[in-house]
């Protein structure tokens, strides 16, 4: 959210473009933490389903119900707002590939992203779900080992094809990204947590998390455009893994106002992720961005507004859709076959 809010300031003249590498890095940090958490949560919630009959179908049904309906609604809204069918900027083939999570390169932008721009991360997410579901066919150690071999093998294949000069299709280029290893790291953290939940006892976890991320952001600000270097990106993603490990194994978290607010924001985080760009689209046309004061007000209002809209979408759309669809499709997929 912060990455996209700051990016709006740069695009609309509120900030110099020299800050773009720093804001890009903030977005990359967000995606990295999200992917590690995703791997951990899948292992935490479905780690006991390895080699269980019907586990593959039940897992995929839950994931599709959780992800697809709201994503399709947001994608249709973006398609309608863009007027793509009138100007030819976005065609129905692009809409279909976005619906099916098939990576494609935009005709005008040249970027590999769907109609709803931030949905590129969901293409990775759904690919991970398919691999995780297939791993559930085996016992946990075998399934995780096969998953690890697959995700480690993807970058190796990419390197081999680059060296040999072989031309790869858009999907191959997209999925060969080493960012997929972040899902695997989350799975491994989740597996270790299931084995030894009390292995680490850390005090003041939020201070540690803040220190880890603050160190990285300060380093990014100092390095300027060098934040895009592979070495720095890799080091930052390792810090993201460390952040999640600290979060997972922190044992002395109390129940208070901060935790309750975090839970509310977290419940609506998927809706916020999908719809925050619409909030920014409105604000870009209504809220001034020139100067430090206006820029600060813009970012604060963007974060508050996006979370409020996300919470409303969660209450009015996401949760009701899940409550309607889960009893139908999850129970059906869980029934043993003849």
């Amino acid at each position: 959210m912060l990455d996209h809010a700051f990016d709006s300031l740069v695009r609309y003249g509120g900030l110099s473009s020299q800050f773009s590498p720093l804001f890009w890095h903030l977005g990359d940090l967000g995606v990295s933490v999200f992917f590690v958490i995703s791997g951990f949560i899948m292992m935490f919630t479905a780690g006991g389903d390895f080699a269980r009959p019907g586990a593959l179908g039940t897992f995929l049904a839950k994931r599709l119900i959780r992800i697809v309906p709201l994503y399709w609604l947001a994608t249709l809204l973006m398609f309608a707002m863009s007027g793509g069918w009138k100007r030819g900027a976005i065609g129905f083939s692009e809409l279909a590939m976005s619906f099916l999570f098939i990576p494609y390169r935009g005709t005008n932008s040249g970027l590999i992203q769907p109609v709803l721009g931030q949905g590129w991360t969901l293409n990775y997410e759904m690919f991970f779900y398919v691999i995780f579901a297939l791993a559930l066919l085996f016992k946990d150690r075998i399934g995780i080992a096969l998953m690890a071999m697959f995700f480690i093998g993807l970058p190796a294949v990419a390197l081999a094809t680059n060296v040999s000069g072989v031309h790869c299709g858009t999907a191959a280029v997209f999925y060969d990204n080493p960012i997929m290893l972040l899902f695997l790291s989350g799975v491994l953290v989740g597996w270790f947590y299931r084995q030894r939940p009390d292995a680490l006892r850390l005090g003041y976890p939020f201070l540690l998390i803040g220190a880890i991320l603050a160190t990285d952001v300060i380093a990014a600000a100092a390095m300027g455009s060098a934040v895009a270097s592979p070495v720095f990106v890799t080091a930052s993603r390792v810090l993201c893994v460390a952040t999640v490990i600290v979060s997972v194994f922190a044992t002395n978290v109390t129940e208070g106002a901060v935790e309750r607010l975090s839970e509310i924001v977290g419940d609506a985080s998927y809706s916020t992720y999908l719809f925050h760009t619409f909030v920014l689209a409105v604000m870009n046309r209504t809220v001034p961005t020139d100067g430090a004061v206006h820029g600060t007000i813009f970012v604060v209002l963007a974060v508050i507004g996006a979370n409020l809209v996300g919470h409303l979408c969660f209450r009015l759309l996401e949760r009701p859709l899940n409550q309607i669809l889960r009893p139908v499709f999850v129970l059906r997929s869980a029934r043993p076959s003849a």
Side-chain angles (χ1 to χ4, degrees):
M1 178 64 233
L2 284 172
D3 168 40
H4 291 163
F6 284 129
D7 182 62
S8 290
L9 292 183
V10 172
R11 285 190 290 114
Y12 289 90
L15 276 175
S16 169
S17 59
Q18 68 182 3
F19 291 102
S20 291
L22 175 60
F23 302 147
W24 174 89
H25 186 65
L26 280 176
D28 187 70
L29 281 181
V31 171
S32 298
V33 172
F34 165 62
F35 281 3
V36 181
I37 290 175
S38 182
F40 170 79
I41 291 297
M42 293 307 104
M43 193 65 197
F44 183 80
T45 58
D49 294 336
F50 283 91
R52 180 176 294 175
L56 186 151
T58 301
F59 176 83
L60 287 179
K62 288 180 178 179
R63 294 297 91 211
L64 290 173
I65 290 168
R66 176 79 170 85
I67 299 298
V68 170
L70 205 64
Y71 174 61
W72 283 6
L73 285 174
T75 297
L76 283 173
L77 180 59
M78 181 61 72
F79 186 72
M81 289 179 62
S82 68
W85 65 89
K86 297 178 182 178
R87 298 194 297 268
I90 302 175
F92 286 99
S93 61
E94 285 85 353
L95 180 63
M97 286 188 286
S98 297
F99 273 6
L100 298 175
F101 303 98
I102 300 173
Y104 67 91
R105 197 175 295 277
T107 305
N108 296 330
S109 67
L111 300 174
I112 303 178
Q113 62 181 30
V115 171
L116 187 70
Q118 64 268 34
W120 68 269
T121 62
L122 281 185
N123 287 349
Y124 282 119
E125 187 78 17
M126 296 303 288
F127 187 71
F128 164 63
Y129 289 159
V130 171
I131 303 305
F132 190 94
L134 292 173
L136 290 175
L137 293 172
F138 306 91
K139 293 184 178 181
D140 58 350
R141 292 176 184 269
I142 297 174
I144 293 171
L146 292 173
M147 210 184 319
M149 292 171 59
F150 181 82
F151 284 126
I152 292 172
L154 281 178
V157 171
L159 179 62
T161 53
N162 288 336
V163 171
S164 61
V166 176
H167 176 72
C168 295
T170 301
V173 171
F174 185 78
Y175 289 121
D176 278 344
N177 195 322
I179 199 172
M180 296 292 291
L181 291 171
L182 293 169
F183 290 115
L184 175 62
S185 66
V187 168
L188 295 176
V189 173
W191 179 82
F192 183 73
Y193 182 79
R194 290 181 65 89
Q195 306 301 312
R196 301 287 300 276
D198 297 324
L200 300 175
R201 292 188 178 275
L202 301 171
Y204 304 103
F206 295 111
L207 292 178
L208 287 171
I209 293 169
I212 291 172
L213 293 182
T215 300
D216 186 86
V217 173
I218 291 171
M223 293 183 68
S225 59
V227 299
S229 68
V231 174
F232 188 82
V233 169
T234 301
S236 299
R237 289 174 177 170
V238 170
L239 285 178
C240 291
V241 176
T243 301
V244 175
I245 292 174
V246 171
S247 305
V248 168
F249 289 101
T251 56
N252 53 346
V253 178
T254 59
E255 282 293 328
V258 173
E259 288 74 26
R260 286 194 293 272
L261 178 62
S262 298
E263 187 173 358
I264 292 172
V265 172
D267 284 344
S269 60
Y270 181 53
S271 291
T272 304
Y273 156 81
L274 290 178
F275 291 99
H276 75 271
T277 46
F278 299 104
V279 176
L280 284 173
V282 173
M283 291 186 60
N284 289 335
R285 292 166 174 78
T286 57
V287 180
T289 58
D290 56 305
V293 175
H294 284 164
T296 302
I297 293 173
F298 178 89
V299 172
V300 171
L301 290 179
V303 172
I304 294 173
N307 278 282
L308 287 176
V309 169
H311 185 69
L312 285 175
C313 290
F314 169 71
R315 296 287 298 272
L316 301 178
L317 292 173
E318 182 181 351
R319 189 163 62 182
L321 282 171
N322 274 270
Q323 290 172 341
I324 293 171
L325 296 175
R326 278 179 69 93
V328 177
F329 292 98
V330 174
L331 291 178
R332 182 176 296 173
S333 66
R335 291 172 186 162
S337 63

